[in-house]
Amino acid sequence: MVQLGYFTLDTLDIEKARAFYGALFGWRFDDAASSPTYAHVVDSDPPFGLTKVERVKDFSHMYFRVEDVDALCARVIELGGKAAIPSDSPSGRGVVVCDDQGVSFSLWKPAAGY
């Protein structure tokens, strides 16, 4: 079985991304493990961080498991991002959103049994 072991989100501006995701998800960053081009998220499982790039290349799509899709959609918009209209499926409730730099990801609340 192959499992996600580590990932990074590409961003054009590390400080803006730290502020956006810190305010949205409450993420804290490990300054000792970070640099001007990387911000490591504290106590994440799997481990991950934010990586500065010159141009965002959005090839993969991340789904963050959350408790309240609708509340976080509103928070994304408050923070300068954009959100589609949430929808329900057999696997749960989800929505595609993007941060204030245009990087897209999804919010997902799994249905019972997922």
Side-chain angles (χ1 to χ4, degrees):
M1 172 190 287
V2 175
Q3 294 180 324
L4 182 63
Y6 191 89
F7 72 93
T8 60
L9 294 175
D10 290 347
T11 183
L12 298 172
D13 186 317
I14 290 287
E15 292 309 312
K16 281 183 75 173
R18 284 173 67 132
F20 183 90
Y21 291 102
L24 181 63
F25 293 131
W27 291 352
R28 294 176 301 111
F29 298 90
D30 179 352
D31 291 331
S34 297
S35 72
T37 60
Y38 176 74
H40 184 74
V41 177
V42 172
D43 298 328
S44 57
D45 184 22
F48 68 96
L50 307 169
T51 301
K52 182 178 179 358
V53 295
E54 295 302 315
R55 184 174 67 89
V56 174
K57 54 185 186 320
D58 201 6
F59 295 113
S60 61
H61 195 79
M62 304 299 290
Y63 288 76
F64 292 101
R65 183 183 285 222
V66 300
E67 287 299 316
D68 190 335
V69 168
D70 298 274
L72 281 177
C73 275
R75 187 74 174 128
V76 163
I77 293 166
E78 287 173 18
L79 293 169
K82 296 180 182 176
I85 298 170
S87 62
D88 296 300
S89 72
S91 68
R93 184 163 181 78
V95 64
V96 176
V97 300
C98 67
D99 70 14
D100 59 345
Q101 297 183 66
V103 177
S104 67
F105 58 95
S106 286
L107 305 171
W108 175 63
K109 180 175 183 176
Y114 276 87

